[in-house]
Amino acid sequence: MLDLNSPIADLNRVGKTTAGQLARLGIKTAAALLEYFPWRYDDYTRRTLIQDLRPGRPASIAGRLEIIQSRRSFRRRLHLTEAIIADQTGTVKIVWFNQPYLGQNLRIGEFISLAGPVEGEPGSPVMKSPVYEKISGLDEKAAPGLHTCGLVPNYHLTARLTQKQIRFLIKQAVSVTDHLPDWLPAEIIKIENFLPRAAAIRAVHFPANAAQLEKARQRLAFEELFLWQLKNISVRARWQNQPAEPIPFQSGLIKNFVRRLPFRLTDGQKLAAWKIFQDLDKDRPMARLVEGDVGCGKTVVALLAMLNAAAHQRQSVLLAPTEILARQHFETFKKLAGADSSLALLTGGQAVWRRPDEKSPDAKTGKKDLLRIIAQGETKIIIGTHALLNERVRFNRLGLAVIDEQHRFGVAQRQALVDKNGADGFCPHLLSLTATPIPRTLALSLYGDLDVSIIKDQPVGRKKIATFTVPEEKRSGAYRFIRQEIDRGGQAYIICPLVDFSDKLGVKSVKEEYEKLDKEIFADLSVAMVHGRLHAREKEKIMADFQAGRIKILVATAVVEVGVDAPAATVMMIEGADRFGLAQLHQFRGRVGRGLRQSYCLLFSDSQNDKTLERLALMSKYHDGFTLAQMDLKFRGPGEMFGTDQKGFPEMKVANLFDYALMKKARAWAEKLFAQDNHLSVWPRLAEKFASEDLDIHRE
Ligand code: ADP
Ligand code: MG
């Protein structure tokens, strides 16, 4: 007998290979299979009669197999299976390609159900490569198909698993849902009128109709948001329970520093800084998130806070997600902080100490020396990457931890950083920075563990980045344009989705594109390439060369997405743009327009799909990341689950983050329960679920 903990291999028709494929999706038990939700549904709720088939309109039909025959087409190197299906209204031709076993599988006289695209001419439609399955008959009593009628679930799969296979397996697993524990407190289920967990799980896989699917989604989305909120509340409570040393506002020093900056702070920057200074002066640790669109100037706000801590003899640390960014922050700090401060840079590949008043170039100390310098408190401001989380790193009176691009780090890493404070008994203040475009109301409930400051304004004089979706036939024009920009002193980024050539996906890869651009199109210019598989040091060198203008065109993957600053770059060209979320495209676009000159973003896409092109066109019209992120979610097709696959947002399987009403409800319940019993011991199943979940669901 199957139960929830049954290993996946106990299911019918799961051999070693299939079990291995499932394991790659993280599915090892029947229970895990049940939690693997579809991401969209094919709507085959209405059967079409054969006489009503119309080319261009996908359909689901049922009928009797009249004729089936296979042949080889040598010219096209294809194996063709052709069949005729009949129902009471007529007959239709079916064609399958390269499925030679079909001829043995299907017998004349059998009833089959089919679903798929309809082609051919009006009056003589043809179904090409439909999904098919045998059914017991054509009348009402016949069992409905699993793959070809109703709302048919589709799952994200690895290459070797098929939709049919996984549906067949989930159908088996669904038989044990009656034993599924419902960890949501009964009180909530009753008052909110939610489906019980077992019913919701069954319905999300095999919904009887759209209304039932919606109820299942509500329940599953709620529990996701509820756990998230519960976690936020408990993280915050734990955080604020610790003592922190107040760091008073060093007014004279900060005002002096601000006066010497080469620019005027925007109102948003001033306000965020002011809030931070107030937080720092408290005896509970700050937990503040500064959110602002790319280029709004979050770094200098962090620098102000760090200088303030240094003036109070407290160390502060800035954690960046990549080596390139850490290096860039180090350079910025050097430039802005002036000669009187001591700075350290520690990354996987670099250990640099810059002493106060040092006129000579930076001392490349050994890592060991730098660790000693940090541990003894000889330097107050430390910048680095994950390398800072290494156990050998010890801080000295750490008063402030800044996390740049906070969505790239989990709560655990945040904690690891502040835990390094050693024995002084105080918890450092925490400042997180993010460009993830989330409006205030949402940010407050989403990041309930943090206080939020939003920098809305951009420095004066910044221009909008003129954005165009460029049709393929104007490609050479686009290259001419890039050349023109470079002649005028500009530089260009060209972003491609993949590293290697991938015929299957038909998307431009960095290597392929680089070869073409370097050898043919821009043979006389310096072109370079960066991607995630290069060594950090190589990447570093290329980025430095690009920043210094020695490289004119940089062909890259998404690695350039965060924070890199090359003020002379004026063109951002993106291949396969439809493969990125709009918020992500907006982040790419934020890499240009950092100097004074007008900048441009050129989007290319192979897609012929009107919807896709319409979606990309939004990039020309809207210039703030939040609007774009929200519109992107609206652009999902019908029958798609919400969930989030946008960078920078917490990962949700079912919940739509823009569903404020449900979010608020989840928040209210989490607060209520937590206030009643912060150990959750009144609800043992919830407590167990909460403890077992790896709720650290921030993602890259
Ligand atoms: P982000 O918020 O995306 O991290 P940065 O902090 O990297 O942005 O700032 C982007 C650029 O804008 C940097 O070159 C920075 O020196 C500059 N900058 C920051 N604040 C201002 C300002 N108030 N006026 C003009 N330029 C500014
Ligand atoms: Mg930044």
Side-chain angles (χ1 to χ4, degrees), residues 431-494:
L431 175 63
S432 297
L433 310 178
T434 185
T436 302
I438 294 179
R440 184 171 189 80
T441 32
L442 181 57
L444 286 176
S445 55
L446 196 58
Y447 301 119
D449 53 337
L450 302 167
D451 296 307
V452 180
S453 293
I454 296 187
I455 301 182
K456 282 221 180 88
D457 34 11
Q458 290 279 338
V460 281
R462 287 265 159 85
K463 298 185 183 70
K464 278 185 188 150
I465 293 151
T467 302
F468 307 93
T469 313
V470 187
E472 195 54 38
E473 61 270 22
K474 297 208 178 143
R475 176 175 288 275
S476 49
Y479 289 143
R480 270 199 304 281
F481 177 72
I482 288 177
R483 186 173 283 280
Q484 237 172 50
E485 281 295 304
I486 291 172
D487 287 344
R488 292 189 193 135
Q491 286 170 293
Y493 292 98
I494 298 180

Side-chain angles (χ1 to χ4, degrees), residues 292-300 325 328-329 404-405 433-435 562-564 591 594:
D293 216 341
V294 281
C296 75
K298 296 181 288 292
T299 317
V300 63
L325 268 182
Q328 187 177 297
H329 285 321
D404 192 24
E405 308 290 344
L433 310 178
T434 185
V562 284
V564 182
R591 299 299 106 224
R594 299 204 142 208

Side-chain angles (χ1 to χ4, degrees), residues 2 19-20 68 114 150 299 397 498 509 677:
L2 214 55
I68 184 158
L114 303 120
T299 317
R397 288 170 52 91
L498 289 179
S509 78
D677 172 10

